[in-house]
Amino acid sequence: MVKRVKGTNIVEEKKFQPYVPADKVMPEFTVVSVLLGALLAVIFGGANAYLGLRVGMTVSASIPAAVISMGIIRAIMKRESILENNMVQTIGSAGESVAAGAIFTLPALFMWAKDGLCDVPSLIEIGLIALCGGVLGVLMMIPLRSALIVKEHGVLAYPEGQACAEVLIAGEEGGAKASTVFSGLGIAALYKFIADGLKIFPSEVTYDIPAYKGSGIGIDVLPALAGVGYICGPRVSSYLFAGGVLGWFVIMPLMALFGGDLVLFPATATINELIAEGGVSSLWGSFLRYIGAGAVAAGGVMSLIKSLPLIVRTFKDALGDYGKGRTTSSLRTEQDIPMNIVLIGILALAVALWLIPAIPLNLFTALIVIVFGFFFATVSSRMVGLIGSSNNPVSGMAIATLLIATLLLKGTGTEGAEGMTAAIVIGGIICIIAAIAGDTSQDLKTGFLVGATPRKQQIGELIGVAVSAIAIGGILYLLSMAWGGYGSNDLPAPQAMLMKMIVEGVMGGNLPWNLVLTGVFIAIVVEVLGIPVLPFAIGLYLPIYLSVPMMLGGAVRWYLEKRKYGSDKEKNTVVQSGVLYSSGLIAGEGIVGILLAVLAIIPAGAEMYVSDVINLSTRFNLGKIGGLIFFALILLTIYLFATKDSKKKN
């Protein structure tokens, strides 16, 4: 007889029985779960799109979606089915993954359109690209479920999937966790509106260090960054910060020291002139980001090389299962979408990518998408089982795809703007496939633990993808119009800018290869030292004022983990409460970021918009000191909300 074990021990059970037995039928795929899940998919998709375009990183929406689901369905609507709650988070979390894939690549098309190289992508084109990538990601993961979720149960932890299962099971005992997420959401929303809506203090505080020419420090005093740092933890956030320190306190000062009077490609002015005109951040824009790009590309390739043995084994297991003609189980908890439908769906989408005029692909490039798509769906599904969705190097996979696809296109005669556009579309679809495959894996793991029906979850994922694909085009247009376009200071779109640089460099031969190769060899040194390359490389690529607040958020978590507790359970409760609150901070800032984008395009008189009307900066401004004080208060709230239950018990 198998005993059900609650909490984290659930993964260690060798002969596992789900929370809801296979012979028990409960409400699962209902109108309520579909509508609420679709709404959360749009909200979290928009929030993560804004976050990713700001800092180049997105965070898994599965946990906050699960918690909000519990708060609404159980606490407000008084519905009791844990499987219905699970369906809401399954559909809702798809929005984040579609957004991640889209924002890492497609803004490059907007930037090329601004330069006159191509037309601005239409809403239909963006929607179809997102839809095809998302549906392919779900369908390509289905054959892997048996090998990864079932056979490797107890080996692959799928941390977010397990956390969601624990949240849903804990929901049987009350809704305190939901209140923590909503508290973070409300506080961050108010903070964001004060900082970037009313503008009573600057959201970015920077300072050049004259005594150490070429160096500078700064911080974006925004709650989402503190939340990202807390969720990533002290190790990952410290790697990000270390990359920033190397760039801003070693490489850039050396540039100013040895090349102050030189004009270095790709800049058209001397380094001293750049610093005098735009501050040390101009060195980042002209030189350091290329070094960071090389490091990120090398880190992505090395991550894939290290994963090859796992990839081969997963392929072997998946093909072995379906090559033997696996029979369909009669158990509710073992039913997938039939394989014949999966294969027909993949084939139909391949033809659609080839023939639909709005998608700039031909037969050859459509085949590239299918081959690379299944490869990276396998990579992503296994990697999230090991390191979690938030740490899944989707951009690294996209970079590898872009390098190979661009070389293939150039080699077959598809060059210029046509070749660059096709390469970005290929990279965008692959990026979405990888992100959705990882998200689907986490959701199916949650379903496996709580006893959901896989087939219904897979249909739910497809619904979430469809809703998110419809919304993402409008979100991209809205953000571009409101924040000065992609590549601006307010909306740097770092990942998309990186993809754009890579495609242009390979296709046009104008990439500053010396800078890129410097980054490649830095990444190799970091790998030899045993430091995780991707977070370090991302820190080198991003401005340091993004990694500083993340480091501070990670430091709060480090302090909470090092405190003395009465038991491991109490420690886990405190740390997880901080994760939930931080998830709320990210969601709250992202949602208000979308709201402020809307206000920035609503007219309010002659050459004025609503955002100008609510701007109080000329009448009342707390300055940089005010921003630092407010950010310190945000860090304090993370600590207070993480420890509130512990204090009550004491």
Side-chain angles (χ1 to χ4, degrees):
M1 181 176 179
V2 180
K3 182 181 180 182
R4 180 179 65 81
V5 181
K6 290 185 179 180
T8 55
N9 291 331
I10 202 169
V11 168
E12 298 173 3
E13 190 71 35
K14 292 183 179 179
K15 295 182 179 179
F16 178 75
Q17 285 186 347
Y19 184 81
V20 178
D23 58 357
K24 184 176 182 180
V25 178
M26 299 176 68
E28 185 172 4
F29 192 82
T30 63
V31 173
V32 170
S33 65
V34 171
L35 292 179
L36 182 56
L39 177 63
L40 290 179
V42 173
I43 291 174
F44 281 111
N48 264 288
Y50 175 75
L51 177 68
L53 290 167
R54 285 277 296 176
V55 304
M57 296 177 65
T58 59
V59 177
S60 173
S62 295
I63 294 175
V67 173
I68 292 173
S69 165
M70 297 298 299
I72 295 176
I73 287 187
R74 299 190 70 86
I76 298 176
M77 303 182 70
K78 307 298 182 184
R79 299 168 73 96
E80 299 295 327
S81 174
I82 189 174
L83 300 187
E84 193 175 29
N85 292 320
N86 179 59
M87 183 58 66
V88 173
Q89 76 85 16
T90 297
I91 298 173
S93 63
E96 172 265 328
S97 298
V98 171
I103 63 171
F104 284 175
T105 51
L106 298 185
L109 298 177
F110 286 82
M111 289 185 267
W112 281 330
K114 188 176 180 180
D115 295 336
L117 296 176
C118 65
D119 295 328
V120 177
S122 66
L123 290 173
I124 293 176
E125 180 180 349
I126 295 171
L128 287 173
I129 289 172
L131 181 64
C132 290
V135 173
L136 282 171
V138 176
L139 295 180
M140 289 175 172
M141 196 277 143
I142 291 173
L144 304 173
R145 189 187 74 86
S146 176
L148 298 180
I149 306 299
V150 180
K151 287 187 177 180
E152 302 241 20
H153 176 58
V155 177
L156 296 175
Y158 289 97
E160 282 101 346
Q162 183 187 347
C164 283
E166 293 171 356
V167 167
L168 292 169
I169 294 172
E172 304 278 309
E173 303 166 5
K177 292 184 177 181
S179 68
T180 301
V181 174
F182 280 117
S183 296
L185 191 150
I187 290 172
L190 178 62
Y191 184 109
K192 177 70 173 177
F193 187 76
I194 292 172
D196 285 343
L198 304 180
K199 296 182 184 274
I200 68 170
F201 60 84
S203 58
E204 182 178 295
V205 177
T206 60
Y207 177 70
D208 292 358
I209 305 174
Y212 188 31
K213 191 174 182 179
S215 67
I217 192 67
I219 177 173
D220 268 17
V221 289
L222 293 172
L225 296 173
V228 170
Y230 184 94
I231 291 174
C232 289
R235 289 179 64 85
V236 173
S237 58
S238 65
Y239 297 143
L240 285 163
F241 181 64
V245 169
L246 176 66
W248 288 66
F249 287 93
V250 178
I251 295 175
M252 293 193 335
L254 286 175
M255 288 180 177
L257 178 63
F258 293 111
D261 296 323
L262 299 178
V263 178
L264 301 178
F265 180 77
T268 56
T270 68
I271 288 177
N272 287 336
E273 289 171 345
L274 288 174
I275 295 174
E277 292 175 10
V280 297
S281 60
S282 61
L283 295 184
W284 171 83
S286 299
F287 307 111
L288 187 61
R289 66 176 180 173
Y290 290 97
I291 296 174
V296 171
V301 171
M302 285 188 281
S303 295
L304 293 178
I305 291 173
K306 288 190 292 185
S307 301
L308 279 176
L310 300 175
I311 296 166
V312 171
R313 190 174 70 187
T314 301
F315 266 121
K316 184 178 179 181
D317 288 345
L319 295 175
D321 278 348
Y322 289 95
K324 295 173 184 176
R326 192 181 67 174
T327 58
T328 302
S329 172
S330 60
L331 289 177
R332 178 184 60 80
T333 54
E334 296 179 7
Q335 295 175 356
D336 293 303
I337 291 177
M339 272 303 296
N340 58 344
I341 294 178
V342 171
L343 294 175
I344 291 171
I346 293 174
L347 179 61
L349 285 168
V351 174
L353 291 172
W354 170 28
L355 298 179
I356 292 178
I359 302 177
L361 298 181
N362 54 31
L363 177 60
F364 174 66
T365 50
L367 290 175
I368 291 177
V369 167
I370 298 302
V371 173
F372 279 88
F374 189 59
F375 179 78
F376 285 117
T378 307
V379 174
S380 181
S381 296
R382 177 169 282 277
M383 291 191 76
V384 298
L386 295 169
I387 60 177
S389 297
S390 297
N391 300 316
N392 189 18
V394 171
S395 60
M397 302 178 205
I399 289 168
T401 301
L402 281 178
L403 287 170
I404 298 171
T406 307
L407 288 170
L408 289 174
L409 288 167
K410 189 175 182 180
T412 54
T414 307
E415 297 183 294
E418 180 186 357
M420 293 192 301
T421 301
I424 280 293
V425 171
I426 292 170
I429 296 173
I430 297 300
C431 209
I432 295 171
I433 287 174
I436 283 289
D439 176 70
T440 303
S441 302
Q442 294 285 10
D443 292 338
L444 290 176
K445 184 67 171 185
T446 302
F448 177 74
L449 298 173
V450 302
T453 308
R455 176 175 52 82
K456 292 181 179 179
Q457 276 195 285
Q458 291 153 7
I459 295 172
E461 287 280 357
L462 293 172
I463 292 173
V465 163
V467 172
S468 304
I470 294 171
I472 192 64
I475 292 169
L476 287 177
Y477 263 82
L478 177 63
L479 291 171
S480 176
M481 293 169 63
W483 298 99
Y486 298 115
S488 65
N489 290 332
D490 291 325
L491 210 64
Q495 297 280 10
M497 182 68 77
L498 170 61
M499 308 299 175
K500 172 177 175 287
M501 287 161 43
I502 289 171
V503 173
E504 288 176 344
V506 175
M507 192 67 73
N510 59 354
L511 200 65
W513 286 105
N514 285 342
L515 296 174
V516 173
L517 290 174
T518 298
V520 169
F521 288 109
I522 288 175
I524 292 173
V525 170
V526 170
E527 174 67 25
V528 171
L529 293 175
I531 299 171
V533 177
L534 275 176
F536 183 92
I538 291 171
L540 180 61
Y541 176 74
L542 293 174
I544 196 169
Y545 44 81
L546 297 179
S547 56
V548 168
M550 286 189 266
M551 179 70 238
L552 293 173
V556 173
R557 179 162 179 170
W558 173 83
Y559 175 74
L560 291 173
E561 289 177 339
K562 294 297 182 181
R563 289 176 68 209
K564 291 183 179 180
Y565 296 94
S567 64
D568 288 341
K569 182 179 180 181
E570 182 186 354
K571 176 182 177 180
N572 291 335
T573 299
V574 168
V575 173
Q576 282 303 102
S577 294
V579 169
L580 294 174
Y581 179 75
S582 297
S583 299
L585 291 179
I586 294 165
E589 181 182 326
I591 291 167
V592 174
I594 297 292
L595 171 64
L596 294 178
V598 173
L599 298 181
I601 61 172
I602 298 177
E607 298 184 0
M608 287 190 68
Y609 297 90
V610 174
S611 59
D612 300 317
V613 174
I614 64 173
N615 184 350
L616 304 179
S617 60
T618 56
R619 286 165 280 174
F620 179 72
N621 197 312
L622 297 176
K624 294 182 177 181
I625 297 298
L628 294 173
I629 292 172
F630 266 75
F631 188 75
L633 291 175
I634 281 292
L635 295 175
L636 179 62
T637 63
I638 296 177
Y639 171 81
L640 293 176
F641 274 89
T643 58
K644 64 176 184 177
D645 291 334
S646 177
K647 289 179 180 178
K648 287 178 183 178
K649 290 178 182 178
N650 291 332

